[in-house]
Every structure is written in structure tokens, then in C-alpha cells.
């Protein structure tokens, strides 16, 4: 399966933006007093090319994959946790399962490349490229063909789902290393600023992770283009997330981006198609230190700042009711005229 | 009706806090990775003296009152907007109406002292002390007896409602002036740092508001005790909010505090009963500049930071699903043992 970059139209539409702002400004509240919710409803209207945006059957997508680099000691948890957590997602016991249930988000787990054989079942989509990526210190994490396959698979997963909103999450022991490497390469920031403790490395573990990632970065010094960097650093779940984001935007769905790793995928994707950024809502500021740099690269203002560093899509799920609120405020609030409320005094 | 300060027990319980933390730490996630949600679930457990906190029939309370000081030109909107917005709350067209509906919050509007006669109806509680406070530049906004009556009424309103959570909001053209005055007097901060644009004053309006409030502060230089300051600066809705917060804490309900004005009420109340602070969840960081000082006085970490400056309880409603999430995470997430997920590696 070969990846073809889909066509993504910029959301920009000055006339529609003005009409949306006028509708907001007639609602019974001081102008601008709903803050970030107001810019959010404008964005949703522009994405949907509508003065009355609606949210329909939101899809939480959790892409899972393993990482060859884990053998180098870059994570506090063993690789087996990836498949064990996939089982936990499907059984309903993980944070993202609980939060998706709370907010009525359909949860789909995608095996992008877990080093484990899953029994088929509802809620699990098999798009396995391989049983984990290769060790990125020994060579590229994936071949060019694997990278293309993963991107195309991410697109296909979204294309087959209903609704007009996707929430992007992930699971993959070791994937904060891939995300840090992608950030360092695509932003030009020093690797040490991009690396954090992931699931909870101690000081010695963090020092080791930094040393390993510096070597990996050096090993693939020539991988400067987005897709080359993606293939070099992995992982399969990140490539599928990138494909999923691109397809969602091409279909004018809103893309709710979880934390550090999902943002890395979107960073790659926006380098391929800058118009994607207009479709993305950054769910939260992650406690993973590199995420602040990531937000700077992507632009935009995360909705939540709760010190989260779990991934899975948990932050995206927590942010979801704010999107719902934004849409409801526009749809359901009375205007000064309809409610018979006096607008500002002349004084 | 005479106000009697209810007895509020500190939530502190080191043994229970440790048991709650241990339960959280066995959930299938890196320790601490749910950030602010984890401290929130600890707080809820301590409030309810339970290892399994639950949220039951949350009550959104919007106290409304008018302010004599509005005649001095301290607000961008006329006083009539107070009663018009009460009608809007009851008709379901205000922001807080929409958001309460979204999150299943029972909405009660309390006429604390609006300068208008309302027809009785469902959802409206008549606790009117007077038709607005007096002009605080001419004398105290309310008499000591009125202040006591308002505090006692706030307590009674909460006592009569079911559930174990209250969300505190307000409506009152001019009440950001009362809040700024209370903050300045009780914190000792300069009045200019406590005053903001409220519903949207322009530069000239802001300068006028600052000048008026400086005079009011000077006029009541002797009102240094919390209840004296409350009577001097008003308003009825702020006094009822303070009473409501105290009663809720005395009954071990969680108190979700909206923005600048609700926080001012809680500031007064915590000066009377410092243990109240343990029961309060600050919903958001308001865009009203004095709110940062208020948060500093109250302690605690607001959940949201969305540039809101609407009041009504809108920020409390927006924060509500995070409390629900915190409780669900503890109740519904699997543990490492129950899910068969490996804990940290030894490496």
C-alpha cells in the first residue's frame, strides 16, 4: 500500500469567520468573555464551513506499536506493557477507556505494529506492519516501504470510520524516544531539550536515554526530510497517527491531538501539509518537557494544562467536553435580542 | 435571621490520603501521570472521608444581586441586565444554562437582592434581602443585619438542596467592584492591582472605576474585619455565596468555585473558617487581572485556564467533567494486578 498525500484545503475563510464572530458577539455575554471557547467555536465553524458547527460521532483512535530501541534501555517499562495495555484498553480498564466511556467517544484500538499476536475482537483493528520497529541505533526503525504502508493504513482507518471528529492517542513503550528524535530533527532544537522522563525514568535512566538518542540522531544525520526522519526514528503508531491526521483533515474532520507523541506525529504531518494545522486542536500541555517546544512548532494554544503525561489519548478525552461546550454555546445561547437583555450602556 | 458560623472540620487525614494515593499508584498508568486529576481525586476522597469518592446530584447555584455603586459608573452594562439575565438563566439561554444542561447540573437561581420583582417559578429561589445594595461610596453597601441575613440565607439555600457537590456562580452588574474591594481590603494589595475591566470597560471606564473604588476603600478604612468589609462593600449575592460555601463545607460537600466574584466570597468565608479551603476546588483562572491575586490568597491550583471572564458559574460548569473524570479514574481503572500489566522494569 503506497501513501499518497491527500489534498487538504486551508480552513481560512474571512467572510465566514466574521459571520461566526458576529453570531458569538450577539450572544448574552460580554464580547470575548468565553475566552478560548470562542476561538475554538470559530475554528470548528471554519473546519465544517458552517455557521452552525455540530459534533458527530467522535472517534477515539489509539494506535499501538513497539520499538526496537527499547532494547537500549530508553524506557522505564518493558515492551510487553504495550500489548498488555492494548488488552487493558479493550477490556475497558485503562484511563482512556474510562474517559472515552464518560464522554461517549467510540474507542478503536489499532495494532500498528505491536510485538504480540492478538486474538481478533470488536474494537481492535489489525494494521500490523511488523512486530515492532527495528533498533534505530543499528539502522532505520522502519524501511521506506513500511513507513509508506503505515501512513496509508492510518489514512484508511480514518476513512472507514463515521463522524466528523477524531481524537488521536497512542500506546507504545519507547515512543517518547521517537517523538523526541522527530522533534529534535524537524525543529532543530538540541536533543537534550526534547527528551524527558517518558513513563518515569529516574535520573540515571534519563541520562542514558539522552546519550542513546544523541547517538541515534547522529546515526541518521542525513534523514532531514519529514518522511526520512519518520522512517529513521519510528514508530509504526506515529506514522499511522500522521496518516490518520492527514486523512481526517482532508475529510474536514476536527483532529483532537493528545500529548507529546501524538503531537510529534502531527508535526511530521504538518511538514507535509501545512494546512493540516487548521484542523488540529491541541488537547493539553503535557508535563513531558519537550512538549512545550512541540507546541511552539505546531502553533496553537492547548486547551488544558493539567500536568498530564500519560498519553493513550487521555488528554484528548479530557478536553473533549470543551469542544462540545463550544458548539453548544453557539447553538443554544440566546442573543441579546431574543432574550430581551440590554447590551452595553452608552456611559 | 442571624448568621451562625457553622463548624467545619479540616479535611486533613494522613492515613486516608496515603490509602488513596496507594490505590491511585496501583492503577495501570505511570505514577503521577494523571497530574492535577490525581490531587483532585485525593481531595475528593478526603472531603468525603472515603477511599471511593462519588459525586451525587451536583447543584449549580447562581446568586444574583444588584449594586448601588453602579450609579457611580463602575460597569459597562446597566443594572437592568441583572434581572434580565436572571430571566435568561431561567429560560435556558445563558451560558451557565447551556453548560449546566450539558453536564447534568441542577440549576438554581437565587434572588439575593435584585432590584426587580420576579414572578415565582421553578428554579428561582426568593431570598431577596433588598432591591440592591446601597451606594458604598455614601455608606456601607448593606447594614450588619442585612449582611447576617444574606449569609444565613446562603446557608439555608444549600442546606435545603440534595447532593454532595455545589458549584457557585453569580450574576450582579457591578459585582466585580465589590470583589475587587474585598480582595484589596482582605489581602492588603493595592486597589489598582485588584481592579479589572469587569464585563468590558474601556480605558476611560477602567480609570473611573479605579478612582471610585479607591474612594470607597478610603471611605470604609475602618472595615478591616471580614464581615465588616463584606457589609461595607457588598453585595448580597457575595454574602450569600459565602454562606453557601460555609454550609456546603460543614456538610462535607465539595465546593466548586467559579471566577473572580465567587472567589471573593470564598476569600471572605475562609477568613472566617480557614478549614473551608480544603473543600474548595478553584474551577479556572479568570482573565480578570485581580483573580491571580485572589488565587494566591486562597491557595490551590485552578483546573482550567481558558481566558474566561463571564462569571455566572460558567467556569465551574466547564470544570465539572474533570471532577467526574477524577472520580471515575479511581473507581473504574484497572490495577496492574487486575489487568495483568507489568509494572516498571528493574532496569
Amino acid at each position: 500500500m503506497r501513501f499518497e498525500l491527500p489534498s487538504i484545503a486551508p480552513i481560512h475563510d474571512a467572510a465566514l469567520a466574521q459571520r461566526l464572530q458576529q453570531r458569538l458577539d450577539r450572544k448574552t455575554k460580554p464580547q470575548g468573555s468565553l475566552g478560548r471557547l470562542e476561538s475554538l467555536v470559530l475554528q470548528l465553524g471554519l473546519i465544517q464551513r458552517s455557521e452552525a458547527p455540530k459534533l458527530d460521532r467522535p472517534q477515539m483512535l489509539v494506535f499501538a506499536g513497539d520499538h526496537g530501541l527499547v532494547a537500549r534501555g530508553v524506557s522505564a517499562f518493558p515492551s510487553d506493557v504495550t500489548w498488555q495495555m492494548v488488552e487493558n484498553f479493550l477490556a475497558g480498564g485503562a484511563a482512556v477507556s474510562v474517559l472515552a466511556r464518560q464522554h461517549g467517544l467510540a474507542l478503536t484500538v489499532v495494532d500498528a505494529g505491536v510485538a504480540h499476536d492478538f486474538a481478533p475482537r470488536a474494537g481492535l483493528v489489525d494494521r500490523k506492519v511488523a512486530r515492532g520497529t527495528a533498533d534505530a541505533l543499528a539502522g532505520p526503525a522502519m524501511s521506506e516501504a513500511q513507513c509508506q504502508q503505515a501512513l496509508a493504513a492510518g489514512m484508511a482507518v480514518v476513512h472507514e470510520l463515521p463522524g466528523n471528529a477524531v481524537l488521536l492517542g497512542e500506546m507504545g513503550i519507547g515512543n517518547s524516544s521517537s517523538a523526541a528524535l522527530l522533534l529534535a530533527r524537524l525543529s532543530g532544537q538540541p536533543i537534550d531539550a526534547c527528551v524527558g522522563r517518558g513513563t518515569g525514568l529516574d535520573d540515571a535512566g534519563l541520562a542514558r536515554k539522552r546519550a542513546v538518542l544523541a547517538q541515534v540522531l547522529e546515526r541518521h544525520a542525513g534523514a532531514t526530510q519529514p518522511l526520512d526522519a519518520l522512517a529513521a526514528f519510528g514508530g509504526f503508531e506515529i506514522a499511522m497517527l500522521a496518516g490518520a491526521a492527514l486523512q481526517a483533515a482532508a475529510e474536514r474532520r476536527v483532529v483532537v491531538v493528545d500529548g507529546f507523541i501524538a503531537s510529534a506525529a502531527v508535526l511530521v504531518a504538518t511538514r507535509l501539509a501545512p494546512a493540516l494545522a487548521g484542523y488540529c486542536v491541541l488537547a493539553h500541555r503535557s508535563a513531558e518537557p519537550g512538549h512545550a517546544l512541540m507546541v511552539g512548532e505546531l502553533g496553537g494554544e492547548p486547551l488544558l494544562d493539567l500536568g498530564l503525561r500519560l498519553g493513550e489519548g487521555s488528554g484528548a478525552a479530557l478536553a473533549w467536553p470543551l469542544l462540545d461546550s463550544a458548539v453548544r454555546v453557539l447553538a443554544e445561547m440566546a442573543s441579546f435580542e431574543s432574550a430581551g437583555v440590554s447590551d452595553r450602556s452608552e456611559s
Side-chain angles (χ1 to χ4, degrees), chain A residues 42-298:
Chain A
L42 245 69
Q43 183 188 6
L44 296 172
L46 292 175
I47 290 172
Q48 299 185 9
R49 286 184 284 207
S50 167
E51 284 180 54
K54 287 183 173 59
L55 296 170
D56 176 40
R57 286 167 292 175
Q59 305 291 318
M60 171 65 76
L61 283 164
V62 183
F63 293 90
D66 275 309
H67 292 258
L69 199 62
V70 169
R72 305 284 182 173
V74 293
S75 176
F77 282 80
S79 280
D80 270 350
V81 168
T82 304
W83 74 259
Q84 291 165 349
M85 284 302 295
V86 167
E87 293 288 351
N88 196 22
F89 298 149
L90 295 167
V96 73
S97 323
V98 171
L99 299 171
R101 207 154 56 224
Q102 177 185 356
H103 295 308
L105 308 169
L107 174 63
T108 301
V109 184
V110 181
D111 176 4
V114 182
H116 181 80
D117 297 316
F118 294 103
R121 84 203 78 169
L124 177 64
V125 171
D126 177 11
R127 293 281 183 176
K128 195 193 292 285
V129 177
R131 295 172 63 94
T133 55
D135 176 359
L137 193 49
M142 49 181 129
S143 68
E144 194 201 329
Q146 285 179 323
C147 184
Q148 297 273 331
Q149 179 186 342
L151 285 159
M155 290 180 59
V157 167
V158 165
H159 187 64
E160 287 161 13
L161 288 171
N164 64 11
V166 297
L167 300 92
L168 297 182
E170 44 58 48
M171 176 71 218
I173 295 300
N175 66 10
S176 72
S177 289
S178 297
L181 288 161
L182 287 166
L183 174 60
R185 178 53 46 80
L186 297 181
S187 73
Q189 296 282 347
I191 183 70
D192 279 6
C194 302
V195 178
R197 294 173 190 274
T199 47
L201 286 170
D202 58 16
D203 289 347
L206 179 60
R208 183 172 55 236
K209 182 176 177 181
R210 285 191 163 138
V212 170
L213 297 199
Q215 290 175 59
V216 174
L217 206 61
E218 175 62 25
R219 169 79 175 75
H220 301 285
T224 57
Q225 293 306 302
L227 292 188
D228 295 339
L230 182 56
F233 305 133
F236 296 129
E237 79 279 34
I238 292 177
M240 282 197 201
L241 279 164
L246 290 166
Q247 180 68 25
E251 297 178 8
R252 299 195 82 96
R253 307 193 200 206
V254 57
V255 179
V256 186
V257 183
D258 187 31
F260 185 57
I261 289 107
S263 299
V266 168
L267 180 62
V268 172
T270 54
R271 293 295 162 95
L272 302 175
L276 165 62
Y279 295 84
C280 291
V281 173
L282 302 184
H284 71 107
R285 291 189 187 278
S286 166
E288 181 74 9
H291 191 247
L293 297 174
M294 198 78 90
V295 170
E297 288 294 313
L298 293 172

